[in-house]
Each structure stands twice: as C-alpha cells, then as structure tokens.
Amino acid sequence: MNLIRVFTIANNGFQEVIRDRILYFIAFFSLLLILAQRIIPEIAAGTHEKILLDFGIGAIAILSVIVAIFVGTALINKEIEKRTLLMLIPKPISRAELILGKHLGLTAVLAVTVTIMMGIYLAMLSFSEITYPVGALAIAAVYLLLELSLIVAVAILFGVFTSSILATLLSFGVYLMGHFSEDLVELGKLSKNASIESLTTSLYLVLPNLSRLDLKNEAVYGLLPSSTELLNHALYGTLYTALLLIISMMVFARKEF
C-alpha cells in the first residue's frame, strides 16, 4: 500500500466533501444555537444552563453523525455511478488504498466540522456566561471523532456491497443499536427466553458498543472515566474501525464492475 496515493485520495475526498455544501451544516448548527439561546431560558428559567450545555454537545453529535452516514455510504457508490471508478482501477491505485483514502478524507472533514462547531458552542456558552468544563468537553469531542470515524467505516462497509439508501438505513440501525447494545443484553435476560437471550448476546458481541465512545453526559458535569478506561475505550474504537475497514477492503476487492 502506497501512503502517498492514500493521502492524495484523502485530500481529493476532503476537498470534494467540503465542496458538497457540508459547511451549510455549520451554519445550520449556529442557527440552532441562537434559537436555543433565545428560547430555552424563557421556558426553563431555572435549568436553562444545563439544558443549553446538553443541547449544544448533543446537536454537534447528531449533525456530525448525519454527515458521516449520508456522505460515507455514498463515497464508493458515487464513484461507481459517475464511472470514475472504472478509470481509477486500471491505474496503480489499489482498491484498499481507495477505501482507506476515502475514509481518511471524510474523517478529516468531520474533524474540521466538529472543531468549528465546538468553537461556536463554547463561544455561545461564554457569551451566555455559562460555566463549563472546557477540558472534559474537549475530551468528549475527541471521543466523538473516534465514534464518527467508526461510523464512517460502517457506512463505507455497507456502501461497498449495497445501494446508498439501504446502506444509509443499515448504518443508522447500527448507530442506534450500538448505543443500546448493553441494554439489549439486559432485555434478553429479562425476557427469560433462551433464544432471545442468545440473539441479544450475539448482537452485543457483533455490534460496536458506541456507548464506550459517548462521553457527552459525563462531560457536561466535568466527570470522565479514569485514564485507563479512556485509553481502553480509544483502543476499542480504533481497533473496531480498523477491522471494519479491512472487511470493506476484502469485500471491495471481490466486487466486479
């Protein structure tokens, strides 16, 4: 694998996604914060600071996930539909390099997007004179990016072997179930049905446990897991992402055009 070609693909993908009006999401986020800052203090005078803290970090996560899934599932399919993939394959660019480059490009876009939205979010909190744990929120943003990188890998995997619409639905399903995978196990135990319990346990083992990378609720209170737990969570997210990319490369290598 040639890293120069990978970074070239990543750079081209970065510029392409930025041109696809991704920055409109940032403008939309800013508008949401302005509206929230105006409306929430009037309807929740006593608890508006906590609600604004939760709302801002939650909006960053939701908008970023939407970009990761909708753009991620179309990364490869768009190349196929535009027939540009047929021109790339004969060149000295392997399919593995294309997958990795596309993933890095979109992850870079999400890193820039999350950074800008976090800056706007913290500026709004400062303007509203709301105290906030800047260090904890910064760490939560880093782990949000790890989660988004994993979600992009999921979206690319589904996008490699199915249509964009189905890949989008499946990716959202993995995202939702990944946040409730631990609850699925408890639900299986409560059912007291061996088949259901086996199914929920299997889903827990296969699906990514995204709650390990979701630190939003802890961050707003300034409470985070220990350094050891944070390191374990980061390794988990990184290894799971790498595994998904390897599977995507293997599937894509067998795909005929």
Side-chain angles (χ1 to χ4, degrees):
M1 182 176 291
N2 188 308
L3 291 180
I4 295 177
R5 289 199 294 262
V6 169
F7 287 120
T8 300
I9 295 170
N11 182 55
N12 290 337
F14 177 87
Q15 295 181 24
E16 181 181 356
V17 175
I18 290 293
R19 284 197 301 266
D20 283 346
R21 302 178 181 179
I22 290 301
L23 295 181
Y24 282 118
F25 275 86
I26 297 175
F28 179 67
F29 171 74
S30 302
L31 179 60
L32 281 179
L33 284 188
I34 292 172
L35 292 174
Q37 185 186 28
R38 298 275 185 177
I39 296 172
I40 290 176
E42 296 182 5
I43 61 178
T47 58
H48 70 279
E49 293 187 359
K50 172 63 170 58
I51 294 175
L52 282 172
L53 274 167
D54 286 334
F55 178 84
I57 192 72
I60 292 173
I62 291 172
L63 291 176
S64 300
V65 166
I66 290 173
V67 173
I69 292 178
F70 276 96
V71 178
T73 53
L75 283 176
I76 302 300
N77 276 327
K78 183 185 291 185
E79 299 287 355
I80 297 173
E81 292 171 0
K82 289 182 176 180
R83 316 299 290 179
T84 54
L85 192 61
L86 298 177
M87 294 184 289
L88 290 174
I89 289 176
K91 296 181 180 180
I93 298 175
S94 70
R95 300 189 183 192
E97 290 170 349
L98 184 65
I99 292 287
L100 183 57
K102 292 289 187 180
H103 179 271
L104 291 176
L106 181 51
T107 301
V109 171
L110 291 167
V112 171
T113 304
V114 169
T115 300
I116 294 174
M117 288 195 292
M118 278 296 297
I120 296 170
Y121 167 58
L122 296 180
M124 182 275 292
L125 294 176
S126 299
F127 179 78
S128 301
E129 298 182 346
I130 298 174
T131 57
Y132 55 89
V134 61
L137 290 174
I139 292 174
V142 171
Y143 277 77
L144 171 60
L145 186 58
L146 287 174
E147 180 183 355
L148 293 171
S149 179
L150 195 158
I151 292 298
V152 171
V154 170
I156 289 176
L157 174 59
F158 288 134
V160 162
F161 65 84
T162 188
S163 66
S164 295
I165 295 176
L166 182 56
T168 299
L169 294 175
L170 290 172
S171 298
F172 272 114
V174 169
Y175 172 75
L176 293 174
M177 295 182 71
H179 277 280
F180 298 103
S181 57
E182 294 180 356
D183 295 329
L184 283 175
V185 176
E186 295 301 321
L187 181 62
K189 293 178 180 178
L190 290 174
S191 69
K192 296 183 179 180
N193 183 302
S195 299
I196 295 177
E197 188 171 350
S198 176
L199 175 62
T200 55
T201 302
S202 299
L203 288 173
Y204 174 75
L205 293 174
V206 173
L207 292 173
N209 186 357
L210 297 178
S211 60
R212 297 182 64 171
L213 303 175
D214 184 7
L215 304 179
K216 297 190 299 295
N217 293 332
E218 294 91 337
V220 295
Y221 290 106
L223 303 173
L224 291 175
S226 65
S227 299
T228 302
E229 287 183 277
L230 287 173
L231 179 60
N232 288 335
H233 295 337
L235 287 174
Y236 171 82
T238 303
L239 291 175
Y240 206 111
T241 301
L243 176 61
L244 290 172
L245 289 174
I246 291 171
I247 296 173
S248 298
M249 293 171 187
M250 294 172 62
V251 173
F252 195 45
R254 296 175 175 272
K255 194 175 181 67
E256 299 291 337
F257 301 100

